[in-house]
Every structure is written in C-alpha cells, then in structure tokens.
Amino acid sequence: MLILQTVKLIVFALKLLPKRFTHRNVLFTIYLVTLVTHVMMDEPRFAQPIPNVTVAVGRDANLPCVVEHLGTYKVAWIHIDRQMILTIHRHVISRIPRYSVTYDNSNTWLLHVSQAQQDDRGYYMCQVNTNPMISQVGYLQVVVPPNILDIESTPSSVAVRENQNINMTCRADGFPTPKIIWRREDGQSITVERKKKVMVYDGEVLHLTKVSRNEMGAYLCIATNGVPPSVSKRIILDVEFSPMIWVPNQLVGAPLSTDVTIDCHTEAHPRAIIYWVYNAVMVLPSKKYIIDYNENSYRAHMKLTIKGLSMGDFGNYRCISKNSLGETEGSIRVYEIPLPSTPSKQITHVMEPKETVPALVSRNETIKVANQPELLFPMKTDDGNAQRSPNGIPFERKGSLAIGQSFSYTDMPPKEFGVSNDVQRSFGTLTLLSFAAAGLPSLLVVLYHQCIEGRLLL
C-alpha cells in the first residue's frame, strides 16, 4: 500500500512538471525519490514474529513484540479469544491485574501474564496503529497437570464377595487430557478378561470378573499427561470369603515331661478370630501354654506350644477360625510316645575278696575268676547263717544286675549241703539266665556254668 501511494505521488508530481525537462526538473525528481525512500525506510515494521509460549498453570508467561522504526506510532496488545484490549503503549487497559507491559527503550514490547490461568490460553495480537494498521499474532498455551476427580472415581476402599464381578473407575482432568493406567501396588499381574494377565492396564475403568482372593490388595490408578507431576490414587480391593483351615500334622506324638508344638493355617476375610480349644475349654496363654500368631494379609499361622507334657495333656486340640461369613475348625491329636532308649546304667555292690575262690571242674582244672564289680547273694541256712564251702569261704553266687530288669534267686544250698540235683540244676539255670540278662561276658557265664556242673559231678 505504501509503495502504491508513493508511485501515485510521483505520477502526480510529473504531471505538474512542464513537458520539456530542464535541469531544475531533474533535481526536483531526484528530491522526490529521496523523500519517498526516506519515508519508506522510517515506516514501523516487525523485526521478528511472536513465539508461541507454553506455561504451566499458575506460572508466569512473557510474550515479546519487537518493532523497528516505531517513531511516533504506538503498540497495543489484544487478547483475540476474549476480544479484549489489554495494553496501549505503556498503559494497561484491562481490569485484570495479572497483565502488565514493559518497554526496554529499544524496540521490544513485552506483555507479562502473571500466574497464568486456563482462561489466559489463546491468541495474542501485537498491533501498531499505522495506516493501515500492522499486526502479528502469537499463541499462549497454558497446560494443567492431571488431577484425579474423587467424586467421579471409585472410593479408596471397596469390598466384593469372592467369585463376583467388580468395576473400578478412575477419572482425571487436566490439559492435555490425562491418560489413565492401572497397576497393582505389590507388583503382581492384573487378570482381565478372565484369563489375560497384564502388568499395566490402560483405561479409566478396570473390569475384574470372578474375583479371587489372590486379587485382593491395593491397586494404583495413575494419571499422566506430560505435565509434571503425575498423580495417583490408591484403591484397596477387599475380597470377602468365609474361613478355611488346613493342618500340616493331624497326629503329633511326644513323650511325657517334654514340650510339643502344634500349628494350623487359616485364610479368611474379613479378619477372623482364631483360637485353640481343648476339652471344650478355650486355651489361654500361660506358663503352660504359649500361643504364637503370625498374620499376612488374609492368611494367618497360629502355633500352640504345650510345656511339660503330663497325662492330662494328651488328647484332641481344635483350631477354630470364625468371621462374619462363617466358621471352621481343624483337629490335632496329641498322643504319648515312649522316651528314646538309652544305654542302661548298672548298679553293683562291690566286694573284693582277699583270695580267689577255686572252682572244681570235671577236668580237675582250677580256674580263677577275675576280680571285678559283682552282685553277691550269700547262701543262708535255716538259722540265718551264711553257708560255707568245704574250704571255709562263704559260698556265693556272683553276677551283675541291670536297672529295670527282674531277678529271682533261691536261698537253698547246692547238693553237698543237702540240696537235690533238680533244685541245683534249677538254681544253675536261673543263675545263668540272670547273668546273661545282666550282660556279663560270655566267657564268665560259661565258666560259672562249668563250675556248677563240676560240683554236681562231685
């Protein structure tokens, strides 16, 4: 437009000139061209476009407008979306106090938007009041981080019966529109469409079918749109079912006077009351009974330790689990077992004879019996005095007796002291059995047997 007007001015000037060019006419033409060129050079123009600016809601934004050769002209800022004049030159026209303008005494006019709001989003025009008017436009983008709408979402805790369906909803706003994903807090997979398992599920609504107790726990709804920070909501899913009990060992054996531990496992939700019952009486913690209880989510493990078992402690113990949906129990039978066998201890009466006792055998050989701890049972007469052998030494039966073993003997002397052969054989046989039961070396048993048989030969 400016060039067209300049051309018209030159044509008009040439019409005023005489038909014959003179030196003065040429100088006038040069003056006009120089004047037009000067006017064109001093006309305001934009040095650079207005950049598009993106700012998070609540932050400050600045829009620059760079104008060269402004001269006496003025710059104005206009919000096109609102059709609102914001500033003219250095004056703020808008009644919104968050807008202001600065000039750097060079060629840049800066529009300031403090604590930008979503209403501030849109196109802004920088205008110079030339004739005709010149302008350029920039865009202010105000982004909003995601925000979960609790009123439109599932509550923080929700319950469902086992094997039923449930939908969990999570809605969020923000700009750009947020993306919703679901994941489990414990890192386990999410079962969707009955058989499909995924670690992350996309969408506002999470649909779970035939919910099992394994799907119980905390679910995280996470909203993101590229504007920090991302936000999440924690929703706890409770799966309700009646108690179940299983017992690892239903028969537990233990000896008397020892400690025994029985245990049972249970699953229930809502949380169950678990206790032990013996002889129709609830077992309470004491010095006699020690109860240990461990719980993890809907699972529980309970142990009962019985100290110092007595005869009255053997029998059936019941582990009972009860909640609002039902009750169940498991039974454990505690029975007595014998103590483990240990090497027997021997109690002996020791007698060290001053001389060895000769024993007569059928081969007229003299055998000396080794001097070792022995049980001595003196042979007595009817008057209570110990009988003596022909050499004057009291006649004795020798042997060892193990604790807990029975032993019987006779006070009758052998044949030469008036005892019949039958009695003597009975005595020898009984004595031999006793020695064998007592665990003496087989050599001594044989020697003693030969000694008895030798006496019978005499």
Side-chain angles (χ1 to χ4, degrees):
M1 294 295 296
L2 180 61
I3 296 176
L4 182 60
Q5 289 181 359
T6 303
V7 172
K8 289 180 180 179
L9 179 63
I10 293 175
V11 172
F12 177 75
L14 291 175
K15 288 181 180 180
L16 295 176
L17 294 176
K19 294 182 179 179
R20 300 181 69 179
F21 283 94
T22 62
H23 179 67
R24 182 179 295 178
N25 292 338
V26 173
L27 292 177
F28 180 72
T29 303
I30 294 173
Y31 172 74
L32 286 178
V33 173
T34 303
L35 180 63
V36 170
T37 303
H38 180 72
V39 171
M40 292 181 63
M41 291 297 294
D42 288 346
E43 195 69 22
R45 64 186 181 88
F46 296 110
Q48 62 187 40
I50 300 174
N52 294 329
V53 177
T54 300
V55 64
V57 66
R59 300 294 183 88
D60 298 340
N62 298 318
L63 294 171
C65 182
V66 182
V67 183
E68 293 179 344
H69 310 296
L70 182 62
T72 58
Y73 295 100
K74 298 184 184 301
V75 175
W77 280 100
I78 299 172
H79 190 191
I80 297 176
D81 295 42
R82 288 177 174 172
Q83 297 182 355
M84 179 188 297
I85 299 175
L86 303 178
T87 67
I88 297 178
H89 206 54
R90 299 189 181 185
H91 302 286
V92 177
I93 304 303
S94 173
R95 294 184 179 181
I96 301 175
R98 295 183 292 103
Y99 289 107
S100 62
V101 65
T102 59
Y103 175 61
D104 63 356
N105 294 322
S106 177
N107 56 6
T108 302
W109 295 82
L110 202 62
L111 176 66
H112 301 280
V113 183
S114 301
Q115 300 178 357
Q117 304 298 317
Q118 294 194 60
D119 292 339
D120 298 329
R121 184 186 300 117
Y123 290 97
Y124 288 78
M125 177 185 289
C126 175
Q127 185 182 90
V128 181
N129 62 340
T130 57
N131 189 14
M133 174 267 298
I134 59 173
S135 64
Q136 64 178 355
V137 175
Y139 191 83
L140 175 62
Q141 178 64 276
V142 180
V143 294
V144 181
N147 176 53
I148 294 178
L149 305 175
D150 287 333
I151 194 171
E152 300 180 19
S153 303
T154 300
S156 298
S157 180
V158 61
V160 61
R161 291 294 295 269
E162 194 171 28
N163 294 322
Q164 291 186 350
N165 302 336
I166 186 172
N167 292 331
M168 292 191 291
T169 304
C170 182
R171 303 193 188 279
D173 61 3
F175 190 88
T177 303
K179 175 184 177 182
I180 304 296
I181 63 172
W182 294 84
R183 68 171 69 246
R184 291 186 63 170
E185 189 178 57
D186 57 7
Q188 299 295 319
S189 60
I190 300 175
T191 303
V192 294
E193 299 174 2
R194 295 188 180 181
K195 295 182 179 180
K196 184 179 178 181
K197 292 186 177 182
V198 295
M199 299 305 297
V200 177
Y201 179 80
D202 298 334
E204 290 184 344
V205 179
L206 176 61
H207 181 65
L208 302 177
T209 58
K210 292 187 176 181
V211 179
S212 70
R213 66 193 66 180
N214 295 326
E215 297 176 83
M216 183 187 308
Y219 289 74
L220 298 178
C221 154
I222 304 172
T224 59
N225 66 349
V227 182
S230 299
V231 293
S232 64
K233 180 176 182 178
R234 186 172 184 261
I235 300 176
I236 298 177
L237 174 62
D238 292 325
V239 180
E240 298 179 342
F241 56 95
S242 57
M244 296 179 61
I245 279 183
W246 72 95
V247 177
N249 298 303
Q250 292 183 320
L251 292 175
V252 178
L256 282 170
S257 302
T258 60
D259 301 344
V260 67
T261 299
I262 56 178
D263 63 337
C264 71
H265 300 260
T266 180
E267 293 183 1
H269 194 83
R271 182 179 178 181
I273 300 174
I274 310 174
Y275 55 94
W276 292 95
V277 171
Y278 177 63
N279 286 340
V281 178
M282 180 185 295
V283 178
L284 300 177
S286 63
K287 293 182 179 180
K288 178 71 175 179
Y289 301 108
I290 298 176
I291 299 177
D292 185 23
Y293 181 80
N294 293 317
E295 186 176 21
N296 181 17
S297 183
Y298 59 89
R299 297 184 177 94
H301 182 202
M302 188 165 64
K303 296 181 181 180
L304 173 63
T305 301
I306 308 169
K307 310 287 287 184
L309 280 172
S310 62
M311 292 303 297
D313 296 325
F314 296 111
N316 288 325
Y317 290 79
R318 291 186 298 149
C319 174
I320 298 177
S321 179
K322 180 188 300 185
N323 70 0
S324 58
L325 302 178
E327 175 183 350
T328 187
E329 67 178 48
S331 178
I332 302 174
R333 180 171 175 265
V334 179
Y335 64 94
E336 181 186 3
I337 60 175
L339 281 170
S341 59
T342 57
S344 59
K345 297 181 180 179
Q346 296 184 349
I347 301 177
T348 59
H349 298 279
V350 180
M351 177 176 180
E352 297 183 359
K354 297 181 180 180
E355 58 182 38
T356 59
V357 180
L360 299 179
V361 295
S362 59
R363 296 183 181 181
N364 297 322
E365 295 179 353
T366 302
I367 298 177
K368 296 183 179 180
V369 180
N371 183 16
Q372 50 185 301
E374 299 167 327
L375 278 178
L376 305 180
F377 301 92
M379 307 294 289
K380 297 183 180 181
T381 59
D382 296 337
D383 58 0
N385 297 323
Q387 293 287 349
R388 295 179 178 272
S389 61
N391 57 8
I393 298 176
F395 186 84
E396 302 167 339
R397 286 181 293 147
K398 303 180 182 181
S400 300
L401 180 63
I403 295 176
Q405 296 184 358
S406 62
F407 185 87
S408 60
Y409 62 92
T410 178
D411 288 340
M412 295 185 179
K415 179 180 178 181
E416 54 266 39
F417 294 98
V419 181
S420 67
N421 291 338
D422 294 337
V423 174
Q424 191 172 13
R425 288 191 184 95
S426 300
F427 168 73
T429 303
L430 183 58
T431 304
L432 180 59
L433 292 176
S434 302
F435 283 10
L440 283 178
S442 59
L443 177 60
L444 295 181
V445 175
V446 172
L447 293 177
Y448 189 81
H449 182 67
Q450 292 179 352
C451 178
I452 297 300
E453 293 297 330
R455 292 177 182 271
L456 292 176
L457 292 176
L458 294 177

